Amino acid sequence: MTLLQLQYFKTLAHVLHYTQAAAHLHIAQPSLSYSIKELEKELGVKLFEKDSRHVRLTIYGEQFLPYAERALSMLDEGVGVLQQMAEHAQQVVRLGYFHSISASLIPSVMLGFYGQEGNQNIRFQFVEAPSFDLYQQLKKGELDLAFCLHQDEELQSATIMRQPLYLAVPEYHPLAERRSVRFEDFAQEPVVMLDKPSSLRTQLDQIYLQRGVTPKVVFEVRECNAALQYVALRFGVSVLPQVPAMENEKVAVIPIQDEEQAFVRTVYFSWLKNRPLSPAARRVRDYITGHYTTL
């Protein structure tokens, strides 16, 4: 016995006309007749009897009708309850981002998103991690959406911003008072770098290689704050994006002038192409791509 059979039986029991009932159900009359015959076969009794002009319920049909109506009514009630729960339930979106945009971008996104009507029931599970870790978590389905610096064919990405890189030097370094520097000014300096496979490390390795310089790497660290701490302790300089800790550490932060604009990196907002997003995640994605995407 199927839900469709019960719906067909209920409609025919009220209309008592095969052609009209089939039209009401938007099905062909033979399909309705076949479904009723299969239901009668399963129940072992005749539910309808008809002559050349009329269709009427048998005593079995009359007895069965209230039960069928009650079952369908309870199912409709259950669907309504679930829809109401879904409308008012908290919906969680897993969003990843890396440290250097935690203060400059994420608060702005949250303020604007919650400022729109209908978003108050959506909550976020934030993951702050290095960009490569976010990229891997996104591909494994552990995140719904992520701001990261990596792209590949499995991801759909929108360009969010071009993030400049700066030279961080100890506060009393000879370059500390400069308003800007060029690569040649610090190419031979001891340098604190992020470890592999950081996208920033890959970018800097390519720059040094293209300029024909072997970097004097004194420390390899996992994240920007650690690099700043070693710079403050005078172990070397470091090329980094703007991060909140730069205001607290004893370092000077200097813009890098470069004709090829090599010291700029692109921030992407990404999600998996072949993994369906929840309605809440789609709402977040559409807001961010609608308000923050750049050409």
Side-chain angles (χ1 to χ4, degrees):
M1 185 184 307
T2 67
L3 180 59
L4 281 177
Q5 287 176 326
L6 291 179
Q7 291 173 330
Y8 293 174
F9 166 71
K10 174 187 172 183
T11 301
L12 183 58
H14 286 282
V15 176
L16 293 176
H17 193 287
Y18 273 88
T19 302
Q20 293 178 10
H24 181 78
L25 292 164
H26 304 289
I27 61 172
Q29 182 176 327
S31 298
L32 175 61
S33 299
Y34 176 80
S35 182
I36 295 299
K37 286 179 182 178
E38 288 297 304
L39 179 60
E40 290 177 332
K41 186 186 299 183
E42 183 175 347
L43 294 173
V45 296
K46 293 288 289 182
L47 298 172
F48 297 94
E49 54 187 8
K50 60 180 179 177
D51 53 31
S52 58
R53 294 184 177 181
H54 300 97
V55 176
R56 56 181 176 270
L57 285 167
T58 66
I59 58 172
Y60 300 108
E62 291 177 349
Q63 187 69 23
F64 185 60
L65 180 58
Y67 292 98
E69 289 179 326
R70 193 181 310 160
L72 290 170
S73 177
M74 290 184 68
L75 285 172
D76 287 340
E77 182 180 345
V79 170
V81 169
L82 292 181
Q83 289 175 340
Q84 188 175 17
M85 288 175 63
E87 288 174 1
H88 297 285
Q90 260 190 19
Q91 301 172 73
V92 178
V93 177
R94 300 169 298 174
L95 176 64
Y97 60 89
F98 49 94
H99 182 65
S100 65
I101 63 170
S102 61
S104 60
L105 180 62
I106 300 305
S108 171
V109 170
M110 293 301 103
L111 186 63
F113 181 74
Y114 282 123
Q116 289 194 337
E117 186 177 353
N119 293 340
Q120 285 67 37
N121 287 326
I122 297 175
R123 293 293 177 265
F124 290 87
Q125 178 182 329
F126 292 114
V127 176
E128 182 178 312
S131 175
F132 186 74
D133 291 356
L134 298 173
Y135 165 75
Q136 290 186 313
Q137 290 178 47
L138 194 59
K139 294 187 67 172
K140 292 177 183 176
E142 296 172 359
L143 291 173
D144 300 307
L145 308 163
F147 294 97
C148 58
L149 303 162
H150 298 78
Q151 286 185 300
D152 71 19
E153 67 280 357
E154 295 181 37
L155 299 180
Q156 185 73 40
S157 299
T159 300
I160 298 299
M161 62 186 294
R162 296 275 286 168
Q163 189 179 42
L165 301 175
Y166 299 87
L167 181 69
V169 303
E171 60 180 344
Y172 298 115
H173 190 278
L175 297 174
E177 299 301 322
R178 295 275 294 271
R179 292 188 176 183
S180 65
V181 292
R182 300 175 64 85
F183 175 77
E184 292 76 12
D185 296 326
F186 61 88
Q188 302 299 327
E189 293 280 339
V191 62
V192 180
M193 283 199 177
L194 270 63
D195 59 11
K196 299 176 181 179
S198 159
S199 62
L200 180 55
R201 174 61 179 272
T202 300
Q203 182 177 353
L204 291 177
D205 282 347
Q206 291 175 348
I207 291 172
Y208 275 88
L209 180 63
Q210 290 169 358
R211 309 295 171 91
V213 178
T214 300
K216 300 176 182 178
V217 180
V218 290
F219 284 105
E220 293 180 310
V221 296
R222 184 164 175 74
E223 45 88 26
C224 297
N225 286 348
L228 281 174
Q229 290 173 0
Y230 284 118
V231 172
L233 291 172
R234 304 176 182 278
F235 285 107
V237 303
S238 190
V239 177
L240 300 168
Q242 187 80 36
V243 295
M246 287 176 171
E247 298 178 4
N248 302 321
E249 294 291 349
K250 295 180 179 181
V251 299
V253 180
I254 312 163
I256 302 172
Q257 286 188 343
D258 187 82
E259 293 180 357
E260 299 177 10
Q261 293 192 340
F263 292 91
V264 177
R265 62 183 187 173
T266 302
V267 178
Y268 301 101
F269 178 60
S270 302
W271 57 94
L272 274 177
K273 288 181 180 178
N274 298 323
R275 182 175 181 272
L277 293 173
S278 70
R282 289 200 304 271
R283 197 172 181 92
V284 174
R285 178 201 63 190
D286 293 346
Y287 173 78
I288 293 175
T289 55
H291 290 77
Y292 290 89
T293 298
T294 62
L295 296 178

